[in-house]
Amino acid sequence: MTPDEMDKFAEDIINGASLSDEDLKKLLAIESEEELEKLYRTARKVRDHFFGNRVFLNCFIYFSTYCKNRCAFCYYNCENDIKRYRLTREDIKETCKVLKGAGFHMIDLTMGEDPYYYDKPERFVELVRTVKEELNLPIMISPGVMNNEILLKARENGADFLALYQETYDRERYAKLRVGQSFEGRVNARRFAKENGYCVEDGLLTGIGNDIESTVLSLRGMKANNPDMVRVMTFIPQEGTPLEGAQQSSNLSELKIIAVQRLFFPDRLIPASLDVEGIDGMVHRLNAGANIVTSILPPNSELDGVANYDRGLKERDRDIKSVISRLESLGMEPASQADFEKVLGH
Ligand code: SF4
């Protein structure tokens, strides 16, 4: 496409045009650097129309790394013999103290499907309430598939966003990735949350067993449930897991899918995660059309991420100050809290 044609394409999307499967396939098939740059530029144009140069900042608190599940791609699957932790309520209160006034728009409380909380889910609800009382900020919960009653209670006690990643809408691939877990159960939990006042985030995993056809299927699957945030993340082989020996792919597929997501979900949140490639990786993801930085850790934190490109590194470079200073060097800035409240529909 010529620059004029690209501008027209971006304008059409801004004015409500929707991508067909053929459009999605064509965009996902782009390989040349020159064409990819054009795709990213178009995605930025669409993003800038809806969000300007303003970026949201999400704080990640992985408060329990225990899990009863066996996801083939995940370091924390219950069969992996690793060191795990579970923060106490007091630990979390202490963490909240250093987060006060730090500039986050939302706090993401993540755990594996930890039996400690699944056996007594009121413990989880209490934790949500504690963080709300301490910080009075929007809260994202990423607790796995909790039942509807607990989702309602968590909502009443301060949860605003549910993150629950399908990873793929290709059922065969799903069965290989999320081993032994219900496909429908995940879709239904997200749907129930959305119907009951939550914003929801869905997510895809790329770089392991997905091709263009299955990516289109997954983008359509996501779209059907009207998510407020759409993530894509590159698979990183994790030590001790069934996929430990799988080939790691480059970040190109993730960047391309971010740009396509921006064109397919023009006014939604799209994460630039620090978890795969740190702050340099954040820059690539923002350049591809993302608009919320995720996996920022509390200051001086030793908590885990999910994919953890920096496992074992002393310098982690995942704090909010470093993120903001890099944003400024790109001519971007943190959005206001009022902007974020608008996204939440408050
Ligand atoms: S992805 Fe989540 S549910 Fe699956 S094993 Fe890892 S922590 Fe558990």
Side-chain angles (χ1 to χ4, degrees):
M1 278 200 263
T2 64
D4 282 353
E5 284 169 338
M6 280 167 37
D7 286 349
K8 167 84 175 55
F9 186 45
E11 283 305 322
D12 287 349
I13 298 227
I14 289 165
N15 291 325
S18 190
L19 300 180
S20 67
D21 283 6
E22 282 317 304
D23 294 330
L24 291 170
K25 282 181 200 162
K26 246 189 244 165
L27 294 171
L28 290 167
I30 293 177
E31 292 289 350
S32 85
E33 219 168 289
E34 197 190 337
E35 291 298 311
L36 282 171
E37 279 311 320
K38 286 185 192 168
L39 174 65
Y40 300 149
R41 187 176 160 267
T42 310
R44 290 198 295 275
K45 197 172 162 73
V46 171
R47 178 201 56 204
D48 293 353
H49 171 82
F50 290 102
F51 299 98
N53 67 342
R54 294 178 297 280
V55 175
F56 302 109
L57 305 171
N58 202 15
C59 177
F60 186 67
I61 302 180
Y62 202 171
F63 65 91
S64 171
T65 59
Y66 288 87
C67 187
K68 61 184 168 63
N69 285 335
R70 294 183 293 129
C71 298
F73 56 90
C74 178
Y75 184 65
Y76 304 98
N77 85 61
C78 63
E79 289 171 348
N80 204 3
D81 184 17
I82 54 169
K83 219 168 128 196
R84 299 176 191 263
Y85 65 77
R86 181 186 299 121
L87 299 187
T88 64
R89 187 161 168 259
E90 287 315 306
D91 294 333
I92 290 174
K93 272 183 141 178
E94 283 303 306
T95 304
C96 287
K97 277 189 196 145
V98 296
L99 295 178
K100 274 187 192 144
F104 289 106
H105 297 96
M106 181 158 69
I107 308 296
D108 173 359
L109 295 176
T110 291
M111 66 171 184
E113 293 197 1
D114 180 354
Y116 175 84
Y117 287 104
Y118 272 67
D119 292 348
K120 291 211 169 146
E122 57 279 13
R123 290 169 168 157
F124 173 70
V125 175
E126 189 193 345
L127 212 145
V128 171
R129 187 172 55 245
T130 301
V131 174
K132 196 66 162 195
E133 282 168 4
E134 291 292 319
L135 294 172
N136 196 26
L137 281 173
I139 295 178
M140 168 181 267
I141 55 169
S142 315
V145 184
M146 292 207 123
N147 70 37
N148 292 349
E149 188 194 340
I150 298 304
L151 285 176
L152 287 180
K153 282 196 182 145
R155 175 84 188 111
E156 282 160 18
N157 281 277
D160 303 275
F161 232 109
L162 173 71
L164 190 63
Y165 306 142
Q166 202 72 18
E167 311 299 359
T168 178
Y169 281 78
D170 172 340
R171 284 171 187 261
E172 225 173 276
R173 189 168 164 251
Y174 179 92
K176 287 184 190 151
L177 293 175
R178 291 213 172 265
V179 178
Q181 294 161 64
S182 160
F183 183 95
E184 304 299 346
R186 261 184 132 68
V187 171
N188 290 341
R190 212 179 297 108
R191 202 170 282 155
F192 178 84
K194 180 91 187 174
E195 286 165 3
N196 285 281
Y198 278 91
C199 290
V200 297
E201 180 186 10
D202 198 352
L204 303 181
L205 189 67
T206 188
I208 181 83
N210 57 318
D211 55 15
I212 289 179
E213 290 287 335
S214 85
T215 306
V216 171
L217 184 75
S218 294
L219 289 167
R220 284 268 165 233
M222 280 179 142
K223 184 98 169 177
N225 295 306
N226 191 21
D228 304 276
M229 176 137 110
V230 285
R231 181 207 75 152
V232 55
M233 198 154 155
T234 305
F235 164 73
I236 298 183
Q238 301 288 335
E239 206 180 336
T241 64
L243 295 174
E244 175 178 4
Q247 181 88 24
Q248 169 151 16
S249 61
S250 78
N251 66 9
L252 268 188
S253 151
E254 179 178 332
L255 298 179
K256 198 184 338 184
I257 295 174
I258 286 175
V260 172
Q261 282 178 327
R262 175 55 67 206
L263 303 178
F264 199 43
F265 300 93
D267 59 352
R268 300 302 147 117
L269 297 171
I270 299 182
S273 172
L274 299 182
D275 206 33
V276 181
E277 298 179 305
I279 289 196
D280 289 338
M282 170 193 88
V283 174
H284 298 311
R285 286 157 180 77
L286 290 171
N287 280 337
N291 69 326
I292 176 166
V293 183
T294 60
S295 294
I296 309 173
L297 297 180
N300 303 322
S301 172
E302 293 185 359
L303 300 182
D304 277 4
V306 175
N308 270 321
Y309 80 102
D310 53 356
R311 184 175 292 122
L313 297 184
K314 281 210 175 109
E315 292 287 326
R316 297 186 78 192
D317 206 21
R318 287 227 221 174
D319 59 284
I320 188 164
K321 278 196 185 146
S322 309
V323 167
I324 292 176
S325 106
R326 187 63 82 87
L327 287 179
E328 284 166 356
S329 75
L330 300 171
M332 304 186 92
E333 60 183 14
S336 66
Q337 192 64 34
D339 282 341
F340 194 66
E341 299 292 334
K342 269 189 229 151
V343 171
L344 293 178
H346 294 166

